[in-house]
Amino acid sequence: MTLETSIEFIKGIGPERAKFIKSVLGLQTVADLLTFYPLRYMDKSKIHKIGELTEELTAEIQLKGKITDIQEIGYGKGQKRLSAKFRDDTGSLELVWFRYSKWMKEQLPPNQELFIFGKINVFNGIFSMPHPEIEADEKKALSGSLLPIYPGSEKLAKRGVNNKFFQSVLGDIVKNLPVLINENLPQELIKKYRLISRIHAFYHIHFPKDLDHYEHANQRLKFEEAFFFQLGYAFKKQHHKSSVLGNPFPKIGRNFKNFYEEVLPFELTNAQKKVLKEIRTDLKKPIQMNRLLQGDVGSGKTMVALLSMLIALDNGFQSCMMAPTEILAQQHFNSLTELLDTSSVKVRLLTGSTKTAERKIIHEELLSGELSILVGTHAVLEDIVKFKNLGLAIIDEQHRFGVAQRARLWAKNKIPPHILVMTATPIPRTLAMSFYSDLDVSVIDELPLGRKPIITAHRREKDRLTVFRFAKDEIEKGRQIYFVYPLIEESETLDYKNLLENFDHIVEFFEGKNVTMLHGRMKPAEKDAAMQHFASGKSEIMVATTVIEVGVNVPNASVMIIESAERFGLSQLHQLRGRVGRGAEQSFCILMTSDKLSKESRTRIKTMTETNDGFKISEVDMQLRGPGDILGTQQSGVVDFKKLSLLTDGKIIKAAKTAADILLKDDPHLQKPENAGLKNYYVKQYHGKNKWGQIS
Ligand code: ADP
Ligand code: MG
């Protein structure tokens, strides 16, 4: 038997069953079975006493005693059940069978010493055990270890592939562990992280001697998963850094200096300076930069982006900046043109709605090198858009762009451009460590000085008048207000109607004020006009759907009222809230909800009112939605760890990442003898899946 042996050759399986198991569970080899981990374990090492049962006892337990008083009770089909008393010398409880066949009644051996095993039910302080397992043989009943319970189904059980089957098959396999399994972690790591050996881990994950042994096995297997995953990324990064060329930008030149000294309207925050330095260091090297810039909404990522693009320009290269929506691209374009107003730097905007004539100019100027900065949407990716020498590509709100799109940017220059991806949706630490490990990460963890934290409140329909009056007062003080309505995805018409109705109410209540509307049905030019109207201060109130979610910047807007807030996800609420609090005034976010809230909605609303910290919010979001949803469909398949949990194993992931980084630094090509086992395992495991892992 080896790990690759097909399961059909295992005693008790055979070709037919092997086929069946493969089709239902996808298990094909001994290795597959070995990592078919138990769901939980039952403890048959102890015998409990009925007199000592408590309501807190929720696990399955074993009792020793005698069956008496067997009877059928209830009437009619579906109502009948079989009941019996079970006594030991401390008390009695009821055994019940809701499904049973007639002969069972005769087969239950009364007044005979028996072992029963099952889960205890408590109802009104009375204990019962439904569908107990019954065993007369003490040797079979009592087991020295915890017994594994494997995932199963009725379909499987019908063909004899039940828990007993897996116990017996795995029992055979674990006997062979010493020949099947090689250690794949170097002794130094095993010692450092106090891990148990691989052989022991597999043994005790299936047949743990006790809980303690199970814990150790579990830890070891989790660490291993995390470690090799991180090692893969570490290789990728190492490979990238040693082979993907980039254009070095050694100079700080006229454009950058001029802007920094003459134009920059404020002092950069320390966090912005730190991040800029990290980017500068990357750009100096003849290696492509791949950096993720995380910074909460309003932390000033755009300025960092602009300064980086000026560095590219001073070194003779063009830049492009992509945003996920037209409005955002337009906004970036507006603020960049404004900031670069006094300079000779040429900036243009390319989106889906750019007119043909303008496009032609853009194409020409890009090729001639006359155009230094191109701002745009996905339109920038089209093949027809060619640069003279694209040196830096900036992607804003990166979670909306896929890996494939990033790759298309790469192809825009012979030597690929440096890449800076910016996101305002903080990624939970475990995810960032796991899935963006190939990117270097910079974090702006500080808001510009003088920003007051946004005050967030939860209000209900009965408070509407107060909320409206409050909004009116703020407008009187010179502020601007957002009302945001959720998209009703099932019905765009309903959604639109809803928005119109509310729009009318608002116009009526805020008589004399200018109210702007923005929604997804409007043409890009209309949207833009509406946005400009509001941004210019001509309109006091913006009534919108979530179109305004990302990036929109109107510093004088200080109140965000989110209607039906329970219908929004956490990261969306956080993004929306980030539209206010951008100026020096105290800002407010009011979450309007109906009276009845689900538990999850309550958690979301509570989180929002309790914290402004995007990282904390992202953690809660991950707990609620799971890592797969947060990463988006593109990567959710990757979250397929067998043991490791991205929700709860942050510590292990971090330790594994550190361990992988250190190991690779010390032995970049895994040539040291103490790493031979690790190398073997890695090569086998990732063979063909991992083109970047270059081990000589
Ligand atoms: P985000 O990180 O959300 O993209 P922006 O770059 O849009 O944030 O910046 C938000 C606002 O803060 C903008 O109005 C910008 O001009 C301003 N800002 C950026 N950096 C600073 C700073 N260091 N001091 C003061 N204001 C700043
Ligand atoms: Mg932004």
Side-chain angles (χ1 to χ4, degrees):
M1 191 191 284
T2 71
L3 287 177
E4 286 82 39
T5 303
S6 162
I7 60 173
E8 71 169 284
F9 302 113
I10 294 175
K11 204 176 83 194
I13 298 190
E16 280 306 308
R17 244 190 196 168
K19 225 183 187 172
F20 172 68
I21 291 172
K22 184 191 162 192
S23 74
V24 182
L25 294 169
L27 308 173
Q28 301 187 61
T29 61
V30 169
D32 291 343
L33 274 174
L34 210 46
T35 52
F36 186 63
Y37 297 126
L39 282 178
R40 53 198 175 82
Y41 304 84
M42 42 191 190
D43 186 356
K44 286 191 173 179
S45 62
K46 268 201 283 266
I47 294 172
H48 288 258
K49 293 278 180 199
I50 296 175
E52 290 160 11
L53 297 180
T54 63
E55 300 209 10
E56 285 76 52
L57 218 128
T58 51
E60 288 151 310
I61 56 161
Q62 182 148 260
L63 297 167
K64 182 180 173 185
K66 288 174 181 169
I67 289 180
T68 59
D69 307 307
I70 305 162
Q71 54 178 325
E72 277 181 276
I73 43 182
Y75 307 94
K77 251 196 189 160
Q79 301 286 322
K80 267 201 215 162
R81 59 197 159 97
L82 185 62
S83 160
K85 276 235 153 60
F86 187 80
R87 296 175 193 282
D88 66 10
D89 46 14
T90 64
S92 75
L93 54 67
E94 190 195 2
L95 307 181
V96 242
W97 290 264
F98 299 100
R99 280 170 284 119
Y100 60 96
S101 39
K102 279 217 183 80
W103 48 263
M104 240 181 97
K105 199 174 148 188
E106 278 88 64
Q107 287 205 334
L108 286 174
N111 297 315
Q112 183 191 323
E113 197 87 318
L114 292 172
F115 296 86
I116 62 164
F117 184 85
K119 220 171 140 62
I120 295 286
N121 267 350
V122 195
F123 186 71
N124 284 341
I126 297 169
F127 295 98
S128 66
M129 186 185 281
H131 297 265
E133 268 179 45
I134 298 178
E135 179 61 64
D137 183 344
E138 171 152 5
K139 263 201 205 122
K140 281 191 186 160
L142 283 173
S143 145
S145 64
L146 297 176
L147 290 174
I149 311 242
Y150 293 93
S153 67
E154 228 163 278
K155 185 173 171 193
L156 287 163
K158 266 193 190 146
R159 303 269 302 255
V161 183
N162 53 19
N163 204 46
K164 281 226 166 93
F165 166 87
F166 281 116
Q167 281 182 5
S168 125
V169 167
L170 275 146
D172 282 344
I173 294 180
V174 297
K175 279 186 204 134
N176 291 301
L177 280 173
V179 288
L180 285 175
I181 296 292
N182 294 317
E183 186 50 71
N184 59 10
L185 293 176
Q187 281 312 312
E188 206 188 308
L189 273 187
I190 291 183
K191 247 195 243 142
K192 183 168 173 193
Y193 292 98
R194 297 204 193 107
L195 303 170
I196 61 172
S197 76
R198 199 151 190 254
I199 290 178
H200 279 124
F202 277 117
Y203 186 86
H204 288 292
I205 206 67
H206 289 287
F207 303 99
K209 204 170 134 217
D210 49 38
L211 271 181
D212 221 35
H213 280 78
Y214 159 76
E215 267 313 322
H216 281 110
N218 210 28
Q219 290 291 315
R220 151 83 211 209
L221 293 169
K222 282 182 175 192
F223 184 88
E224 187 180 308
E225 256 187 306
F227 178 81
F228 283 98
F229 188 76
Q230 293 294 347
L231 190 68
Y233 268 114
F235 265 122
K236 190 171 171 181
K237 211 161 162 177
Q238 173 184 290
H239 172 63
H240 187 98
K241 292 208 160 150
S242 63
S243 65
V244 182
L245 295 178
N247 289 300
F249 301 164
K251 262 201 329 216
I252 286 287
R254 185 171 54 84
N255 287 299
F256 184 93
K257 271 199 200 123
N258 259 349
F259 183 83
Y260 200 88
E261 282 156 19
E262 312 290 336
V263 187
L264 187 63
F266 36 68
E267 168 94 14
L268 292 185
T269 62
N270 284 330
Q272 282 171 316
K273 285 181 190 163
K274 175 195 74 189
V275 163
L276 196 64
K277 211 166 171 185
E278 287 165 352
I279 294 171
R280 271 269 287 143
T281 310
D282 280 0
L283 294 179
K284 276 185 205 162
K285 296 178 192 159
I287 299 162
Q288 188 202 29
M289 170 175 81
N290 256 295
R291 193 166 273 283
L292 174 68
L293 174 55
Q294 291 198 60
D296 222 329
V297 276
S299 60
K301 294 183 292 296
T302 317
M303 188 53 70
V304 172
L306 171 57
L307 289 165
S308 311
M309 292 195 287
L310 292 178
I311 296 176
L313 177 58
D314 280 338
N315 286 276
F317 285 88
Q318 295 166 301
S319 302
C320 78
M321 182 161 172
M322 288 206 313
T325 66
E326 195 138 329
I327 292 187
L328 249 190
Q330 178 77 48
Q331 278 228 341
H332 279 318
F333 175 72
N334 294 348
S335 47
L336 291 186
T337 26
E338 198 175 312
L339 285 163
L340 296 172
D341 193 24
T342 54
S343 75
S344 57
V345 182
K346 199 162 213 179
V347 188
R348 283 193 191 274
L349 175 69
L350 178 66
T351 70
S353 51
T354 304
K355 298 257 161 28
T356 319
E358 169 79 4
R359 269 171 202 264
K360 232 182 115 204
I361 298 175
I362 291 175
H363 293 160
E364 282 167 16
E365 289 185 354
L366 278 179
L367 272 179
S368 73
E370 198 179 325
L371 186 56
S372 304
I373 297 177
L374 179 66
V375 181
T377 55
H378 289 82
V380 169
L381 295 172
E382 283 166 25
D383 288 334
I384 191 167
V385 181
K386 293 194 179 78
F387 293 77
K388 181 177 176 213
N389 55 4
L390 179 64
L392 171 66
I394 296 176
I395 306 174
D396 197 13
E397 306 301 341
Q398 83 109 24
H399 57 295
R400 303 210 179 175
F401 287 106
V403 178
Q405 287 165 326
R406 259 198 265 165
R408 287 180 72 179
L409 271 175
W410 278 45
K412 296 260 176 213
N413 210 51
K414 222 191 286 128
I415 292 180
H418 297 289
I419 306 268
L420 180 67
V421 286
M422 308 198 294
T423 174
T425 313
I427 300 157
R429 266 184 48 241
T430 54
L431 292 194
M433 275 189 294
S434 306
F435 295 98
Y436 298 96
S437 289
D438 55 331
L439 301 175
D440 294 302
V441 179
S442 290
V443 180
I444 306 188
D445 50 7
E446 169 189 18
L447 293 180
L449 213 68
R451 293 279 170 77
K452 300 189 179 76
I454 301 163
I455 296 172
T456 304
H458 175 204
R459 295 287 180 268
R460 294 164 196 269
E461 208 44 53
K462 65 175 169 46
D463 312 313
R464 181 165 294 280
L465 195 59
T466 330
V467 171
F468 272 33
R469 283 197 185 127
F470 171 76
K472 214 174 203 168
D473 287 348
E474 287 299 303
I475 294 174
E476 293 311 325
K477 287 186 204 160
R479 305 284 89 76
Q480 289 166 282
I481 310 262
Y482 291 105
F483 281 92
V484 177
Y485 292 84
L487 279 169
I488 303 167
E489 294 207 348
E490 314 88 74
S491 161
E492 207 183 312
T493 321
L494 236 169
D495 179 38
Y496 184 53
K497 199 172 146 243
N498 187 28
L499 188 73
L500 284 185
E501 262 170 31
N502 287 299
F503 182 77
D504 287 344
H505 286 156
I506 287 168
V507 169
E508 198 178 322
F509 186 90
F510 295 91
E511 203 195 321
K513 302 295 171 217
N514 190 308
V515 188
T516 312
M517 183 157 53
L518 185 65
H519 58 79
R521 280 193 167 189
M522 288 158 65
K523 294 207 181 74
E526 293 171 337
K527 280 189 211 165
D528 186 44
M531 207 51 238
Q532 291 307 340
H533 189 60
F534 184 66
S536 71
K538 286 182 200 133
S539 158
E540 293 92 350
I541 301 170
M542 164 69 85
V543 177
T545 57
T546 45
V547 196
I548 63 150
E549 183 190 336
V550 197
V552 170
N553 187 26
V554 182
N556 188 49
S558 68
V559 181
M560 165 66 63
I561 297 169
I562 304 177
E563 299 283 349
S564 306
E566 69 268 34
R567 301 239 303 265
F568 292 90
L570 255 182
S571 73
Q572 217 178 6
L573 287 172
H574 183 59
Q575 282 290 328
L576 284 169
R577 178 167 62 183
R579 298 311 105 215
V580 296
R582 306 189 138 238
E585 302 302 329
Q586 176 62 57
S587 290
F588 303 89
C589 174
I590 300 169
L591 306 170
M592 299 292 296
T593 72
S594 60
D595 288 334
K596 267 200 192 142
L597 293 180
S598 69
K599 197 170 159 231
E600 207 190 300
S601 303
R602 271 206 305 277
T603 308
R604 288 198 297 256
I605 303 286
K606 191 162 166 270
T607 306
M608 287 297 293
T609 53
E610 280 174 359
T611 182
N612 277 307
D613 181 337
F615 279 94
K616 272 192 199 142
I617 290 172
S618 76
E619 295 288 341
V620 178
D621 198 25
M622 182 167 74
Q623 303 289 343
L624 290 177
R625 291 196 293 152
D629 258 15
I630 302 231
L631 286 168
T633 44
Q634 288 171 19
Q635 306 206 34
S636 57
V638 196
V639 199
D640 212 5
F641 292 113
K642 286 222 155 74
K643 274 276 162 205
L644 197 67
S645 158
L646 293 168
L647 288 181
T648 52
D649 292 329
K651 272 200 188 129
I652 296 177
I653 294 172
K654 190 159 180 214
K657 179 169 163 49
T658 312
D661 286 346
I662 292 176
L663 185 118
L664 221 54
K665 210 169 199 176
D666 172 58
D667 186 9
H669 302 285
L670 301 187
Q671 283 161 330
K672 296 196 171 172
E674 62 265 35
N675 294 330
L678 179 151
K679 177 176 165 179
N680 269 341
Y681 177 81
Y682 182 82
V683 171
K684 227 185 216 166
Q685 197 75 358
Y686 288 90
H687 182 70
K689 289 187 212 161
N690 184 352
K691 298 189 187 73
W692 28 261
Q694 289 215 324
I695 322 176
S696 55

